[in-house]
Amino acid sequence: MHPMLNVAVKAARRAGNVIQRASLNLDAIRVEKKKHNDFVSEVDRSAEQSIIESILEAYPKHAILAEESGAQGRGEAEYEWIIDPIDGTTNFIHGHPQYAISIALAHKGQIQQAVVYDPNRNDLFTASRGVGAFLNDRRIRVSKRTSLNECVIATGFPVSDQSYIDTYLAMLKDVLAKTAGVRREGAASLDLCNVACGRVDGYWEFKLKPWDLAAGSLLVQEAGGIVTDLKGEQDWFQTGDIVAASPKVLAQVLHLLAPHL
Ligand code: IPD
Ligand code: CA
Ligand code: CA
């Protein structure tokens, strides 16, 4: 395993311990509302601090971009770690066991290493650019299905920004009509990992943040999938509008979404 990936794995497992210990007493956790439908708990903050500590201990000169504490060390640094300490906070605070720790490492702006750790299933998803994607050390690939009517597609509903809800619902209606089903599980990083290991056949969502998609997008690519924005172009990291699937399914999902853009 690449040494930088190894550091990320250790940081993710350590944060997983912090989160799972706290999950045993959910009623005691203080939760704040950042904006409409956007929550943060003290556990998000302490898990994030533990990840940052683990990383800076190994690589003190690297930059950090983390959901709760923002950017630090940018400037000279060629390496930047992109961290979501709990992806799926709404699930976490409801005791709904679908959330993950997401850690990615970018070198000169390109994601090179990725870890998504689901502490409830003890599923560790890892990827290194050019080396492949793995679930608990076993190689994973995107699904082989090609007929859209047999495909299950994951998505994320509009959360705090509701401005595009009508566009979204029109898309959802068409995807529901043309596929075997739609899943809204509530953690974007795991949605992407589920594409990477073929548990779902595709995924789309609007307005994600870099920490939601940095690690999961490399997992999809290294598992033989493709990531684009909603127009099939490469602006997904900037816009946060994302579609991910195997090449054949991706083309069909883009075709379904296109009339609504
Ligand atoms: C959220 C989750 C959710 C997605 C939201 C994200 P958070 O992340 O990934 O699935 O629909 O857009 O903000 O806030 O739980 O880290
Ligand atoms: Ca997130
Ligand atoms: Ca989060």
Side-chain angles (χ1 to χ4, degrees):
M1 186 183 280
H2 190 285
M4 291 181 182
L5 184 62
N6 198 24
V7 167
V9 167
K10 288 204 171 119
R13 287 198 186 276
R14 191 172 150 198
N17 289 337
V18 171
I19 294 163
Q20 295 309 79
R21 227 178 298 126
S23 77
L24 299 174
N25 193 4
L26 283 179
D27 290 342
I29 297 172
R30 282 192 303 275
V31 177
E32 283 164 43
K33 195 170 183 171
K34 292 196 273 190
K35 50 184 190 262
H36 176 66
N37 280 354
D38 191 358
F39 301 94
V40 59
S41 75
E42 56 188 321
V43 186
D44 297 63
R45 294 206 171 97
S46 51
E48 182 167 301
Q49 278 320 304
S50 132
I51 295 166
I52 293 173
E53 256 171 51
S54 305
I55 288 170
L56 292 182
E57 200 178 292
Y59 300 109
K61 298 209 167 120
H62 286 187
I64 303 278
L65 174 64
E67 178 174 13
E68 311 305 343
S69 56
Q72 56 175 286
R74 278 179 166 167
E76 298 293 283
E78 287 186 357
Y79 287 95
E80 181 170 63
W81 296 81
I82 305 171
I83 300 162
D84 193 337
I86 304 180
D87 183 41
T89 296
T90 302
N91 284 342
F92 170 70
I93 60 188
H94 285 256
H96 186 93
Q98 176 74 3
Y99 49 83
I101 298 116
S102 174
I103 304 176
L105 174 64
H107 181 236
K108 297 185 179 173
Q110 190 185 52
I111 309 294
Q112 296 290 341
Q113 311 293 341
V115 175
V116 176
Y117 177 51
D118 171 347
N120 290 296
R121 292 190 180 83
N122 199 20
D123 275 352
L124 181 76
F125 293 91
T126 55
S128 294
R129 184 170 294 278
V131 176
F134 298 82
L135 165 54
N136 297 332
D137 296 328
R138 294 183 67 162
R139 188 79 194 252
I140 50 173
R141 306 283 305 169
V142 292
S143 103
K144 292 194 176 68
R145 285 188 194 84
T146 53
S147 311
L148 201 56
N149 61 9
E150 293 172 2
C151 288
V152 170
I153 306 296
T155 188
F157 298 150
V159 188
S160 100
D161 176 358
Q162 304 273 321
S163 62
Y164 56 96
I165 194 157
D166 292 333
T167 305
Y168 178 81
L169 289 175
M171 289 176 169
L172 179 62
K173 192 172 176 189
D174 280 357
V175 177
L176 282 168
K178 296 279 164 53
T179 63
V182 172
R183 298 288 180 272
R184 195 301 190 240
E185 300 193 49
S189 59
L190 287 175
D191 293 330
L192 286 161
C193 288
N194 285 340
V195 173
C197 69
R199 288 176 182 167
V200 296
D201 304 291
Y203 166 62
W204 95 102
E205 184 160 355
F206 284 84
K207 297 198 189 296
L208 291 173
K209 297 285 195 263
W211 42 83
D212 298 318
L213 51 71
S217 60
L218 184 64
L219 260 296
V220 170
Q221 292 166 337
E222 288 297 322
I226 297 186
V227 177
T228 69
D229 63 16
L230 301 176
K231 295 184 189 140
E233 289 162 9
Q234 281 303 312
D235 281 336
W236 50 274
F237 200 83
Q238 288 72 33
T239 60
D241 298 345
I242 189 169
V243 186
S246 66
K248 286 200 172 133
V249 173
L250 186 107
Q252 297 172 74
V253 173
L254 288 173
H255 185 74
L256 270 185
L257 303 183
H260 306 292
L261 292 171

